[in-house]
Each structure stands twice: as C-alpha cells, then as structure tokens.
Amino acid sequence: MTTNPTTSAPVQWPVGYRINPRAEGPAADIVEAFRAIPVAAIGDAMSRNIGTVGLRQYHARLDTVLCGPAVTVRVRPGDNLMIHKALMMVQPGDVLVIDGGGDVSQALVGGLIRTTCVAKKLGGLVIDGAVRDLCEWAEEGMPIFARGHTHRGPSKDGPGEINVPIACAGLAVLPGDLIVGDADGVIAIPAMEAADVLSRSRAHLVKEATIRADNAAGKSDPERFDATLRAKGLPI
C-alpha cells in the first residue's frame, strides 16, 4: 500500500502501475558543485565500476553537462504513457531517468515531449530506449542520453511506474539520486552520499593534476607501476 502523490491518501495501484511522490535530491549547492566535476573523476571516486553502458548523447555540444536529481520512470518498452505523467510531476532542474528495457524498436520521446521538457526547465533525460526527432534534440537547451533512435513512435497505453528503483543501461538509480552526465557517460550518486563523493572527487582531481604535470614534464615516477609489477612476481 502506498499513498497518492497528489492527495497523500492510501491507494492500491492496479498491477503494473505505481506513482510515488517525487523524492528530494541533494542540496542545491551540492548539485551545482557537481557541474564542475567530470563524470570520469566521479566514477574514479566511486570505485570505477558505476555508470551507464551503451548510451550516447543526442544533444550536439560535447561540453554540455547534465546534472540534477532523478525522477525515475519504468515503462513498457515502446510505451510512454507514464513519461507524460512524470512530466506533470517534475520540478525545474530534475533529470528524468527512464528504464525502457533497452528497446529501440519504438521511440519513447520525440520533439513534442522536448518542448514540454524545455517549458518545465527539466535538467535533462537519460533513457534506456530510443528517441526520435534528432534535429530538435540536437538543439541547445535540453541534454539527453539514449540507447538509440528510430522514426517509429510510441504507444500510450501503459503500464508503468514513477519514482521507483530502476536499472537504466546498467546503472542502478533511486528516486532523488544525483545524476551527472557529460561526453564520457552518465553516473548516479546516492543523495545521502553526494557530499562525501564530491569531496573525494575533488581530491581525485588534485591527484590527477599532479600526475598530469609530472607526465608533461617527462618525470613520471617509475615506482607507480613497477611496485605493482614486483608484487605480481615480475623481476623488476
């Protein structure tokens, strides 16, 4: 039993449908700080095994950064009924993260939905599914990552769920997670861990800056890798 996100009254959802209230993400200053942190550095600070696999960006500019709290949606492949409903619930800056099952036979979003996203001041979209109307998505103002594209449009029949735990292109996402995406990929940061991950990401960038300076000067420390090779039994 959950509550209706509009009235807060108890509700028993039909099988295959669920709409939970929007989850608050990290504080606004934390979200803004992550805009300056590359996804690769965040991934390095989070053990290097977290992030989407197989998505590509459909906005044109490589330097565009997607960053905001997740509103999650799970849909039946090729159906976008619950995406339309989720767009009635989002707040400015939210990122719509959609589990479309990796299906690319029918587009889940197109140019008309993009118009709504811009009007709602959405932070962007991450879709394990297909898009269409590529020329419109390539325009500035609405970052989007997706599995693929097709001209074939979606149905609007359901079922689907909003603000539930989902898997999107190999990335586990909870409602309210901080989503960051750039030219390298997309990653999710648990809201409660965002401040700590920010600190560790910044420290990692400082470490990288030192290594980069040494590499540029031609004075890389050989022990950085030789010690590892010796530990594996090589006579270095």
Side-chain angles (χ1 to χ4, degrees):
M1 187 75 69
T2 58
T3 58
N4 186 305
T6 302
T7 66
S8 298
V11 61
Q12 180 68 53
W13 297 103
V15 174
Y17 293 86
R18 188 176 302 274
I19 302 175
N20 290 325
R22 176 183 175 276
E24 289 295 328
D29 60 327
I30 297 292
V31 176
E32 190 59 32
F34 268 104
R35 292 187 181 278
I37 309 294
V39 167
I42 299 170
D44 285 354
M46 295 180 69
S47 77
R48 294 191 166 186
N49 63 357
I50 296 171
T52 58
V53 178
L55 302 189
R56 56 161 285 193
Q57 68 177 59
Y58 280 90
H59 50 275
R61 292 188 51 144
L62 286 175
D63 59 354
T64 298
V65 176
L66 175 154
C67 186
V71 170
T72 64
V73 186
R74 179 183 292 118
V75 300
R76 178 174 60 81
D79 188 277
N80 73 358
L81 175 63
M82 297 302 267
I83 295 173
H84 284 280
K85 176 57 180 175
L87 285 171
M88 300 177 189
M89 300 170 58
V90 295
Q91 297 294 319
D94 285 348
V95 174
L96 209 58
V97 187
I98 302 167
D99 174 5
D103 177 77
V104 294
S105 64
Q106 291 177 269
L108 291 175
V109 300
L112 295 178
I113 278 185
R114 184 185 185 278
T115 302
T116 300
C117 293
V118 172
K120 292 278 189 173
K121 299 182 180 179
L122 204 68
L125 302 93
V126 182
I127 306 174
D128 197 358
V131 301
R132 69 175 184 175
D133 302 323
L134 302 195
C135 291
E136 294 179 58
W137 288 108
E139 298 173 9
E140 290 189 41
M142 189 51 53
I144 181 171
F145 295 81
R147 173 77 63 178
H149 60 273
T150 178
H151 67 281
R152 297 171 59 178
S155 60
K156 293 174 172 59
D157 298 319
E161 299 174 288
I162 298 173
N163 285 324
V164 297
I166 64 169
C168 181
L171 177 66
V173 184
L174 297 177
D177 281 357
L178 179 58
I179 308 299
V180 186
D182 63 20
D184 284 327
V186 180
I187 200 164
I189 305 157
M192 296 296 294
E193 300 175 16
D196 179 58
V197 173
L198 177 62
S199 177
R200 286 190 276 124
S201 298
R202 285 171 166 167
H204 183 78
L205 287 175
V206 171
K207 176 183 175 181
E208 279 194 342
T210 300
I211 295 172
R212 184 175 290 107
D214 287 345
N215 289 349
K219 57 178 185 179
S220 301
D221 181 6
E223 278 299 295
R224 183 182 173 204
F225 299 108
D226 282 356
T228 299
L229 292 171
R230 281 195 299 272
K232 294 179 180 296
L234 278 74
I236 301 295

